[in-house]
Amino acid sequence: MVKVGRPPQDPARQLERAHRILDAAADLILRWGYGKTTIDDVAKAAGVAKGTIYLHWKTRDELFAALLRRERVLMLAEVRQGAPATLGELYGGYARVLLRRPLLQALMRGDSELLGKFTRQKQQAGQSPTMGAPLEAYVAELVKLGAVRAEPGDHAMMANAVLYGFLFVPDSLPKEDDRIAFLVADTIDRTMSTGRPLSGDDADAVARATIDFLAAAQEIAEQRLAASMGGTQKAQRSV
């Protein structure tokens, strides 16, 4: 017999309930901000008992950390669906998806009004959609293939500067998703590419390297999310 208030024992149902709680938390935080969103609010919106949330996450902070990590997983999955084939297309994909994900935008901006003390998660979760070691290996492969210039280096800094610049233009300027994505991709290609045409084989190798990088980044993000899902971690591994 299942005790009242306990998450369902079926792993799939347990995981579904956890994501329903995260969905409710995301809606409330975007409406009221993190500081004004309580566990009681989240429980009511998700249709669960307050105690059920604490069976998944011990604190409100842990719940929100899981929410931010889930946002990252969803973003990377959506970028992968676009099948980017170059560094420019990769960052263009980031721009397009980030413009649709206000929580990740707030994290990148360090928006204390929306995220409150969770602006410090900017350092813990990373300021950009990319990840250090996988990104460096990916860029090194593009340099070897002749798609990206080796000099002046600091490729991640340059690409992220372009991404930030276009994402956070003044609100008075138009910000159409596809147009911003094109401008980000074009600027990165013009700034960082060698300008030399690639052979068919090398172009295919660049496309494979791009998809492999995204797959590695998503795998890391999914592992971090699993570690943040509290009582649902075992359920995640079972479904």
Side-chain angles (χ1 to χ4, degrees):
M1 180 177 180
V2 178
K3 295 182 180 179
V4 176
R6 293 189 62 183
Q9 296 302 302
D10 178 69
R13 291 183 60 202
Q14 192 174 11
L15 185 60
E16 182 277 331
R17 174 173 285 183
H19 282 292
R20 179 153 44 93
I21 292 168
L22 293 180
D23 289 340
D27 290 341
L28 292 173
I29 290 165
L30 288 172
R31 191 185 314 166
W32 298 336
Y34 176 75
K36 295 181 181 179
T37 299
T38 67
I39 289 292
D40 285 325
D41 296 327
V42 174
K44 183 177 180 180
V48 300
K50 181 178 178 179
T52 299
I53 294 181
Y54 286 121
L55 288 171
H56 291 294
W57 299 281
K58 294 180 181 179
T59 67
R60 185 180 65 152
D61 287 0
E62 287 185 5
L63 185 156
F64 192 48
L67 175 59
L68 292 178
R69 288 180 172 179
R70 189 182 71 160
E71 283 289 299
R72 188 184 187 108
V73 168
L74 294 173
M75 181 203 70
L76 289 168
E78 191 171 344
V79 174
R80 284 185 73 184
Q81 288 177 0
T86 67
L87 183 65
E89 289 180 9
L90 172 67
Y91 273 82
Y94 286 145
R96 182 180 291 106
V97 176
L98 284 167
L99 285 168
R100 302 169 186 166
R101 294 200 167 273
L103 279 177
L104 286 181
Q105 282 193 59
L107 185 65
M108 292 175 71
R109 287 179 184 265
D111 186 343
S112 59
E113 183 175 349
L114 182 65
L115 302 186
K117 67 179 182 179
F118 259 86
T119 54
R120 72 171 180 264
Q121 286 284 338
K122 188 173 184 178
Q123 298 299 327
Q124 297 173 10
Q127 296 187 24
S128 82
T130 59
M131 298 182 184
L135 177 63
E136 291 301 322
Y138 166 57
V139 170
E141 181 66 14
L142 298 193
V143 170
K144 183 167 43 174
L145 291 167
V148 169
R149 291 185 291 110
E151 300 298 333
D154 296 322
H155 297 88
M157 182 184 299
M158 293 172 63
N160 289 333
V162 172
L163 178 65
Y164 271 68
F166 279 106
L167 284 180
F168 303 132
V169 296
D171 292 336
S172 58
L173 297 177
K175 295 177 71 172
E176 298 177 5
D177 295 0
D178 289 339
R179 181 60 178 166
I180 293 294
F182 169 79
L183 291 172
V184 168
D186 185 62
T187 301
I188 287 178
D189 283 339
R190 290 175 182 271
T191 303
M192 301 176 65
S193 72
T194 60
R196 297 191 299 270
L198 298 178
S199 69
D201 288 344
D202 284 344
D204 289 343
V206 169
R208 286 194 301 271
T210 304
I211 293 302
D212 288 347
F213 162 72
L214 271 173
Q218 186 176 347
E219 182 178 359
I220 292 171
E222 287 173 345
Q223 290 171 354
R224 291 176 178 173
L225 173 60
S228 292
M229 292 297 279
T232 64
Q233 185 173 354
K234 292 181 180 179
Q236 278 194 306
R237 293 173 178 171
S238 301
V239 297

